[in-house]
Amino acid sequence: MINSYEEALNFIHGRSQFKKIPTLKRMRRFLDELGAPDKQVNAIHVAGTNGKGSTVAFLRNILQQDGNTVGTFTSPFLIKFNERISVNGVPISDKEVLRLTQKLYPVVKKLDQLLPEGGPTEFEIVTAMMFTYFAEGHADVVIIEVGLGGLFDSTNVIVPKVSVIVTIGWDHMHILGNTLPKIAYQKAGIIKPGVPVVVGRIDSEPLEVIKRVAEEKQSLISILNRDFRATSTGENNWQQQFNFAVKSHQINGLTTHLLGDYQVDNAAVAIAAYRMYCQRLGKPVNLQSIRNGVKATQWAGRFERLSIKPTIVLDGAHNISAVDELVELLRTDFSDRRLFILMGILADKQADKMVTKMATLPNTEIVLTHFAGPNKRQAADPEKLEHQVGQTADPILTITDWHQAINTLKDKLTGNDMLLITGSLYFISDARKYLLSNFK
């Protein structure tokens, strides 16, 4: 039996991460054993290669401004496991994690005995915890972020009020496919018959796949830059400004602390999803909720400025698509600064492409480092990576110990310089804890 929070986490993290054959049958059986809690949850389902977290944060804040109690299910966590299941941005307690794990434990053990491939995976257990918790009535609406892909993701048992696909980019190709249309097909797996879907900025080929699936499912589709638009009006004092338009309606002068044109896209997708959700529930769209919700949104680890003097920024860009967006932001809004970029990347990402892209920035020094990857996932070897990309890019340095790397680079900062720590959400989670405890 499980008697403490630590034992609960050990049990969850000790489970297998993947099974050989992707299926939702095991998840459906698991939830049915628990009384089908997913069927008692009022949800919005969010998929996408990048931008899911920010879109969820924007949407949560808008819905909260509307007077809703909003649950969220997100991954990975930045500081503590409990963040994955939150209410109005507040993670559930250790006590609740223990209670939910104790409730699920006998069912998991039963399925371990009954199912030929064994019982639920780690993510299936966490997903079931979330459904169980929110079926108890802790939130008016729950925004559920897909873990990986969509079609066979354990969250995909849900029939939501609105589905959202934020972006399609290169990530998890060994699981989702090696072309953008194949990846798009996996993400489009969250589209349910008759449930409207909101889609962000997506290239034409993968977008055609999503449109085709929506047509087959007879789902109304609303697409950024076709059915609704967002126009950036620039960054001022670490605030992004933009206008939003849909049909004959326009909301001007929106501001957010999340910087970059890609965050304007994410905010626009969230606004469109909120409008669609209101429409489905027959509720009025509150323009003040949109304005205040967007302005109130903070999201740790998304171009997050941890320190002003010196300027230290964390960004969770962890694949080539996200690095492309980050480079564009730096080129557009921070070209007047000398940049020091510290990168720790997981080995199963396109690490060489990520570093090479970063090296296209002028006036930039890049340092590669090592960190302890999550579970059994390995971090890329910084020395091998330096050798790999050093032939084509400007001098790239390696400081294997990331604590030492932060301290070394921090000491180099003067005046308007910026230290950017990036490459992996897991790495910036470690760096964030270290910085907050050592540089206050």
Side-chain angles (χ1 to χ4, degrees):
M1 194 52 196
I2 292 167
N3 297 308
S4 70
Y5 172 75
E6 289 71 25
E7 286 177 17
L9 289 193
N10 289 338
F11 166 67
I12 294 163
H13 296 322
R15 300 293 298 186
S16 64
Q17 287 192 288
F18 298 104
K19 301 285 188 185
K20 282 183 182 172
I21 301 165
T23 176
L24 285 178
K25 287 180 183 173
R26 184 175 53 254
M27 189 67 201
R28 183 69 270 155
R29 171 76 185 273
F30 186 17
L31 290 170
D32 287 346
E33 292 275 351
L34 292 164
D38 56 301
K39 294 180 179 171
Q40 299 161 59
V41 173
N42 176 39
I44 297 170
H45 201 192
V46 181
T49 306
N50 296 309
K52 295 190 296 289
S54 301
T55 303
V56 167
F58 281 123
L59 193 46
R60 170 175 71 77
N61 278 283
I62 294 168
L63 287 164
Q64 270 184 246
Q65 289 289 331
D66 236 13
N68 295 287
T69 300
V70 187
T72 51
F73 181 60
T74 55
S75 57
F77 60 90
L78 202 59
I79 302 296
K80 193 173 180 181
F81 172 85
N82 309 35
E83 293 166 33
R84 302 184 83 156
I85 304 170
S86 296
V87 177
N88 286 354
V90 179
I92 62 170
S93 67
D94 293 2
K95 190 176 169 187
E96 288 290 55
V97 170
L98 175 59
R99 178 180 70 83
L100 292 164
T101 309
Q102 287 172 333
K103 187 169 184 178
L104 269 56
Y105 181 80
V107 179
V108 172
K109 287 299 167 190
K110 177 182 174 183
L111 294 176
D112 279 344
Q113 298 301 315
L114 292 176
L115 299 178
E117 78 275 24
T121 64
E122 176 182 358
F123 191 70
E124 286 168 346
I125 290 169
V126 182
T127 305
M129 287 170 69
M130 175 270 296
F131 281 131
T132 301
Y133 182 75
F134 288 121
E136 295 169 351
H138 299 288
D140 303 314
V141 54
V142 183
I143 310 167
I144 298 172
E145 183 185 313
V146 167
L148 195 160
L151 185 61
F152 294 112
D153 187 76
S154 61
T155 63
N156 202 30
V157 291
I158 193 71
V159 179
K161 295 292 186 290
V162 179
S163 303
V164 179
I165 302 172
V166 186
T167 57
I168 301 292
W170 299 103
D171 206 1
H172 302 294
M173 286 91 78
H174 58 298
I175 297 170
L176 303 179
N178 57 2
T179 70
L180 290 182
K182 283 179 182 174
I183 294 170
Y185 180 74
Q186 292 291 324
K187 308 281 186 195
I190 72 163
I191 300 172
K192 303 296 189 306
V195 174
V197 57
V198 175
V199 177
R201 186 190 297 273
I202 290 172
D203 291 343
S204 56
E205 260 195 300
L207 181 59
E208 283 307 312
V209 174
I210 294 168
K211 284 158 80 172
R212 189 171 68 246
V213 173
E215 195 178 332
E216 286 166 5
K217 301 281 178 72
Q218 297 184 309
S219 299
L220 174 68
I221 187 168
S222 184
I223 303 168
L224 178 63
N225 292 331
R226 188 193 78 173
D227 305 298
F228 61 98
R229 294 179 190 284
T231 312
S232 170
T233 54
E235 175 265 332
N236 182 36
N237 196 25
W238 288 79
Q239 287 200 76
Q240 190 77 36
Q241 300 168 319
F242 68 101
N243 302 328
F244 175 87
V246 55
K247 295 176 183 165
S248 56
H249 297 285
Q250 181 133 343
I251 313 172
N252 292 330
L254 291 161
T255 61
T256 173
H257 294 286
L258 301 187
L259 301 188
D261 288 352
Y262 56 100
Q263 294 294 11
V264 170
D265 288 349
N266 295 338
V269 169
I271 294 167
Y274 162 71
R275 288 175 55 86
M276 190 78 80
Y277 177 76
C278 290
Q279 200 175 315
R280 289 221 63 195
L281 269 65
K283 292 181 173 182
V285 170
N286 188 326
L287 297 186
Q288 205 55 45
S289 293
I290 293 172
R291 192 176 292 283
N292 294 344
V294 168
K295 190 171 185 179
T297 301
Q298 311 267 5
W299 193 237
R302 273 62 172 188
F303 212 78
E304 177 189 15
R305 184 170 56 163
L306 270 197
S307 165
I308 297 173
K309 287 184 179 178
T311 302
I312 301 177
V313 175
L314 299 178
D315 192 273
H318 60 286
N319 53 42
I320 190 62
S321 305
V323 167
D324 285 343
E325 299 283 15
L326 182 55
V327 166
E328 184 60 31
L329 168 62
L330 292 166
R331 209 185 287 284
T332 305
D333 292 336
F334 298 95
S335 58
D336 59 333
R337 294 172 184 251
R338 191 166 61 135
L339 296 175
F340 295 89
I341 300 177
L342 178 62
M343 300 185 77
I345 308 170
L346 285 171
D348 58 5
K349 304 294 178 179
Q350 295 172 297
D352 56 336
K353 289 185 178 177
M354 291 166 68
V355 177
T356 302
K357 180 69 178 189
M358 278 293 191
T360 63
L361 287 164
N363 209 17
T364 298
E365 182 177 311
I366 296 174
V367 173
L368 305 178
T369 194
H370 190 269
F371 68 104
N375 301 317
K376 292 173 186 168
R377 292 173 73 186
Q378 295 292 314
D381 183 318
E383 287 175 348
K384 280 186 186 169
L385 196 51
E386 179 192 343
H387 182 72
Q388 205 175 345
V389 300
Q391 320 297 323
T392 53
D394 279 340
I396 288 168
L397 307 173
T398 293
I399 301 175
T400 309
D401 183 318
W402 64 263
H403 303 87
Q404 184 190 337
I406 288 176
N407 289 310
T408 301
L409 291 176
K410 183 175 169 287
D411 289 344
K412 287 187 178 186
L413 298 176
T414 59
N416 210 26
D417 297 349
M418 180 197 295
L419 168 56
L420 171 66
I421 301 170
T422 188
S424 160
L425 282 163
Y426 297 101
F427 173 46
I428 67 159
S429 170
D430 291 344
R432 192 172 190 273
K433 286 179 209 167
Y434 177 70
L435 285 162
L436 288 175
S437 60
N438 287 276
F439 297 125
K440 271 292 176 190

